[in-house]
Amino acid sequence: MSTKRNGTLNKEIVWKAIKDAFKKLDPRIMARNPVMSVVEIGFVITLLLSILPNFFGGTSDRGYNIAVSVILLVTILFANFSEALAEGRGKAQADSLKKTKQDTKAKLFQKDGYIKIVDATELRKGDIVLVETNDLIPTDGDVIEGVAAVDESAITGESAPVIKESGGDFCSVTGGTKVISDFIKIVVTSDPGESFLDRMIHLVEGAKRQKTPNEIALSTLLVSLTLIFLLVCTTLVPIASYIKVTLPITTLVALLVCLIPTTIGGLLSAIGIAGMDRVTQFNVIAMSGKAVEAAGDINTIILDKTGTITHGNRMASAFLPVKGISQAKLNKVAVHSSLHDETPEGRSVIELAKKAGLSDKELDKAGTVGIEFTAETRMSGTDFSDGRKIRKGAADSIRQYIQQQGGKVPGDLESITNEVATAGGTPLVVTEGNCVLGVIYLKDTVKPGMRERFDELRKMGIKTVMCTGDNPLTASTIAKEAGVDDFIAEAKPEDKISVIKQEQAQGKLVAMTGDGTNDAPALAQADVGLAMNTGTIAAKEAANMVDLDSDPTKIIEVVAIGKQLLMTRGALTTFSIANDVAKYFAIIPAMFMLAIPQMKALNIMNLATPQSAILSALIFNAIIIPLLIPLAMKGVKYVPMSASKLLKKNLFIYGLGGVIVPFIGIKLIDILLVMLQVA
């Protein structure tokens, strides 16, 4: 099991956040948060009134002005602290990643074949380097020769080594990881400053993140509410003057600060940063906050079968000859078809034949040319210098190939392939020239716990679709065993894109997981593309999220975190706006009841004095921000349920709670202030 990154706070992070809270008082920085910027302007005005009590015709009560000024400053600092705290955790993670960037040396192959020791920073795309036991991999690349165990704990937190080998979807290596056995040759796939580790460091530094569309929309709403309450407070002056009531400027500032959505305004940035931080704690690197938010609204998930739902390394488990062909003949030709196949699948064919007693001389590649597998032909094989052409591939592709060669398909071939497919395996048909010799039975198994995971997604209202290049029978068996909602068999890369586009055309948001180069187009098309870290560079570059643990089921956690982010923002917005009701009943009566005794009827909290009422509301408005920081950082707990039930639950907790809690809090603070005055 993977080890999650440490997301806990420590004294160093908290102390730095406190210092950053003061640095963020810079008006140029505060301008990025219009709500808190208004509070800062209010602080400046009350500070001036504290120094010059009669400034702008203000009240001469210097102590009252100072108290309001201090409370406003504390409010701003608490809001800045929440943002700095969230940023601090991201920066701490970035610092831990930077430790893996050392002055690494690389063994670079020269044109003459000799090896030259160079700095890793001198490597460029296309260079070929040798990495041996106990060497750090200098930069990102693909393995082109050799097999090695690689320690990726510096990146993933996972202590178990990962086997990296040439061919297939497990050839990608990451700079900063370490080879702990054997050796590999890699071709460099990134220039300095463009490696995966460099991108990770940049992405987890939350201070540089861009606001998401939902966050921008909410910010616009908060600014609109602030302008509305500013107009309301401004119009109170002529109304009060008409009824011959003098409203102190300090009191008007206090009213404005209490009515505008300062709670959510102070926590909004922290919620977004913490959302990305929670994803990172699950060892998933999100390329943007937009991707995390989109995950919360996902309707459909497209999953690649091989390596995602199943273990991925399909291994040859049997050679099944057609009628009239000997077992020895099929074993020999099956090996010849895999001479140049460097994938785990191809090597398993050779290993199985060796166990069956095939001699090593049959592995001689002299006079042969390898034919690589392509998504179009869905075949691979070997051409011999004597004219022999041996192929292996999907049953339908081989049928077309045989017919083009003028051959006939054996009558029992279909029954053999159906038998393999029904058992959940993948049949690879082997042919020599225009003659079919038999079937290689490739066996792959569904990962444990997949059915339960897909049940969770169904509870979230998310549809799962499995895409595979296997035949319909094999696909049907795997789909039934795994518990997916739908499947697409014999899928080509363009088929995956087509499915995603069809879902998107219906107004749905689609997520896609994958690890291979052939998954890259679909990962780019999907609203949320989650690539596996063990996958190819192409897949990781196309996706907007990368799972460092290479666990495709992690998409469930990503979706839950996305929903949690949206819920947290909505819950705290509801709570913040609901707070205004209690503050209204605290401040409005206090402003007018001396001149209008009838206003005492609105003092339902029975607050002691007008000044204590205003100060109590202001103090509560300030302290509620740090009290909600843990919720903003951790997020509202998400439990799979229908949208209507979720809405009712959150309205009850954060809507009704947002009304009740301030009444209790303001009353308790008022009692405390009275006790302090008496003392």
Side-chain angles (χ1 to χ4, degrees):
M1 178 178 266
S2 170
T3 303
K4 294 178 187 177
R5 295 188 185 281
N6 183 11
T8 59
L9 299 175
N10 55 48
K11 291 182 179 179
E12 184 180 347
I13 293 176
V14 173
W15 180 244
K16 189 175 186 307
I18 292 173
K19 292 190 290 185
D20 287 345
F22 284 92
K23 292 179 182 178
K24 288 177 179 287
L25 290 174
D26 185 336
R28 293 169 296 182
I29 299 176
M30 292 297 298
R32 296 181 305 192
N33 188 335
V35 176
M36 299 313 299
S37 185
V38 169
V39 179
E40 186 173 44
I41 293 172
F43 160 69
V44 172
I45 293 173
T46 55
L47 180 63
L48 288 173
L49 291 172
S50 299
I51 301 170
L52 304 170
N54 296 317
F55 189 70
F56 287 138
T59 177
S60 59
D61 192 339
R62 188 188 299 270
Y64 173 63
N65 292 342
I66 293 174
V68 172
S69 180
V70 170
I71 295 170
L72 293 184
L73 175 61
V74 171
T75 303
I76 302 166
L77 290 174
F78 280 154
N80 290 348
F81 175 74
S82 71
E83 181 179 42
L85 197 62
E87 291 174 355
R89 293 210 301 186
K91 289 176 181 177
Q93 290 175 349
D95 290 340
S96 68
L97 291 173
K98 288 175 182 177
K99 292 178 182 178
T100 64
K101 289 178 67 63
Q102 306 175 17
D103 295 329
T104 309
K105 299 295 182 180
K107 299 171 182 177
L108 176 64
F109 280 98
Q110 304 295 297
K111 292 181 180 179
D112 56 10
Y114 287 97
I115 293 177
K116 180 182 179 182
I117 306 298
V118 300
D119 289 332
T121 54
E122 297 180 26
L123 298 177
R124 297 293 183 272
K125 286 182 180 179
D127 287 344
I128 296 176
V129 297
L130 173 68
V131 188
E132 299 177 296
T133 303
N134 294 324
D135 286 349
L136 284 176
I137 294 175
T139 187
D140 294 355
D142 286 331
V143 179
I144 58 174
E145 184 179 327
V147 180
V150 178
D151 178 5
E152 296 188 328
S153 59
I155 304 295
T156 67
E158 174 61 69
S159 58
V162 179
I163 302 300
K164 297 289 185 178
E165 54 191 349
S166 60
D169 294 335
F170 298 92
C171 62
S172 172
V173 292
T174 305
T177 56
K178 186 177 183 180
V179 172
I180 58 176
S181 71
D182 303 298
F183 78 93
I184 49 176
K185 287 183 183 179
I186 66 172
V187 58
V188 177
T189 55
S190 65
D191 288 328
E194 299 176 357
S195 70
F196 182 60
L197 186 58
D198 289 318
R199 296 202 304 273
M200 283 173 61
I201 292 170
H202 175 73
L203 291 167
V204 298
E205 291 180 326
K208 298 179 181 178
R209 73 185 187 96
Q210 293 183 339
K211 287 187 177 182
T212 64
N214 282 347
E215 196 171 348
I216 292 172
L218 182 55
S219 297
T220 303
L221 172 63
L222 298 183
V223 170
S224 301
L225 289 174
T226 301
L227 290 174
I228 290 171
F229 286 122
L230 182 60
L231 290 173
V232 169
C233 291
T234 303
T235 55
L236 280 177
V237 175
I239 293 174
S241 177
Y242 179 75
I243 59 176
K244 298 180 180 180
V245 174
T246 301
L247 294 179
I249 295 177
T250 303
T251 300
L252 283 172
V253 170
L255 175 65
L256 175 62
V257 170
C258 284
L259 291 185
I260 64 177
T262 50
T263 305
I264 186 61
L267 295 172
L268 183 59
S269 182
I271 293 169
I273 296 171
M276 291 190 70
D277 176 60
R278 285 194 294 276
V279 172
T280 306
Q281 288 178 43
F282 274 94
N283 274 359
V284 174
I285 298 298
M287 304 305 181
S288 67
K290 183 179 180 181
V292 180
E293 275 194 359
D297 290 325
I298 288 299
N299 306 108
T300 305
I301 296 181
I302 310 294
L303 301 117
D304 186 47
K305 188 207 81 172
T306 305
T308 303
I309 294 175
T310 62
H311 281 289
N313 284 344
R314 300 180 300 178
M315 310 298 286
S317 61
F319 298 131
L320 307 175
V322 296
K323 188 176 181 179
I325 301 297
S326 69
Q327 186 70 57
K329 173 70 171 176
L330 175 58
N331 293 359
K332 177 181 177 181
V333 176
V335 166
H336 288 171
S337 71
S338 304
L339 285 177
H340 296 272
D341 188 349
E342 291 297 324
T343 65
E345 175 186 294
R347 283 191 281 271
S348 73
V349 171
I350 295 175
E351 290 300 319
L352 181 61
K354 284 183 177 181
K355 290 179 181 178
L358 195 73
S359 64
D360 290 340
K361 69 177 184 179
E362 299 297 341
L363 303 179
D364 186 8
K365 297 181 182 180
T368 66
V369 177
I371 305 300
E372 292 186 2
F373 174 88
T374 65
E376 288 72 27
T377 64
R378 298 173 68 209
M379 293 189 300
S380 63
T382 307
D383 285 352
F384 286 78
S385 57
D386 60 8
R388 284 188 301 149
K389 295 181 182 294
I390 295 176
R391 298 288 185 271
K392 65 176 180 182
D396 58 333
S397 299
I398 292 294
R399 284 193 186 94
Q400 294 178 10
Y401 176 76
I402 290 296
Q403 290 171 0
Q404 291 171 358
Q405 299 294 322
K408 293 183 179 181
V409 177
D412 60 339
L413 178 63
E414 185 173 357
S415 64
I416 295 174
T417 57
N418 287 346
E419 182 181 350
V420 171
T422 303
T426 301
L428 277 186
V429 180
V430 179
T431 179
E432 182 175 11
N434 62 2
C435 178
V436 174
L437 303 181
V439 173
I440 301 173
Y441 179 2
L442 297 178
K443 191 173 184 180
D444 197 1
T445 56
V446 174
K447 293 180 178 179
M450 290 302 295
R451 177 173 288 276
E452 291 75 14
R453 304 290 269 171
F454 291 137
D455 286 342
E456 286 185 47
L457 288 172
R458 264 186 289 277
K459 289 179 183 177
M460 295 181 187
I462 298 172
K463 174 184 176 183
T464 53
V465 180
M466 180 185 77
C467 282
T468 176
D470 291 334
N471 63 68
L473 277 174
T474 301
S476 176
T477 302
I478 296 294
K480 185 177 180 180
E481 184 180 348
V484 295
D485 297 316
D486 199 2
F487 69 90
I488 299 173
E490 299 178 344
K492 296 179 181 179
E494 55 267 28
D495 294 328
K496 296 177 184 179
I497 297 177
S498 177
V499 174
I500 293 172
K501 287 183 176 179
Q502 287 174 14
E503 293 289 320
Q504 290 172 333
Q506 298 174 27
K508 298 179 180 179
L509 293 183
V510 183
M512 164 80 186
T513 64
D515 55 6
T517 301
N518 64 330
D519 294 326
L523 288 169
Q525 177 66 38
D527 298 286
V528 176
L530 179 65
M532 304 298 103
N533 190 40
T534 55
T536 61
I537 293 294
K540 288 190 280 189
E541 289 182 346
N544 51 23
M545 289 188 183
V546 177
D547 177 20
L548 302 180
D549 296 329
S550 299
D551 176 9
T553 63
K554 191 78 69 66
I555 189 68
I556 296 174
E557 276 81 11
V558 171
V559 169
I561 290 171
K563 289 183 179 296
Q564 187 182 47
L565 171 62
L566 297 175
M567 284 175 53
T568 302
R569 187 178 295 149
L572 292 182
T573 300
T574 303
F575 187 88
S576 177
I577 294 174
N579 272 345
D580 291 343
V581 176
K583 297 171 192 172
Y584 172 86
F585 281 102
I587 293 184
I588 296 297
M591 292 173 63
F592 292 97
M593 62 185 180
L594 289 179
I596 309 174
Q598 293 84 349
M599 291 291 288
K600 290 182 179 179
L602 292 177
N603 186 18
I604 59 176
M605 287 184 277
N606 195 29
L607 302 177
T609 65
Q611 286 192 349
S612 73
I614 293 170
L615 292 177
S616 297
L618 272 180
I619 292 171
F620 177 84
N621 191 62
I623 64 174
I624 195 65
I625 294 176
L627 290 177
L628 290 175
I629 287 177
L631 182 62
M633 301 285 279
K634 187 177 180 181
V636 175
K637 185 178 180 181
Y638 173 72
V639 178
M641 63 177 68
S642 66
S644 59
K645 287 183 179 179
L646 198 60
L647 178 61
K648 290 177 182 177
K649 177 183 175 183
N650 287 335
L651 282 177
F652 177 76
I653 295 174
Y654 299 101
L656 184 60
V659 173
I660 295 174
V661 170
F663 275 98
I664 298 172
I666 291 172
K667 179 59 180 177
L668 291 175
I669 295 171
D670 181 70
I671 293 172
L672 182 61
L673 289 177
V674 172
M675 291 172 60
L676 290 174
Q677 287 177 353
V678 172

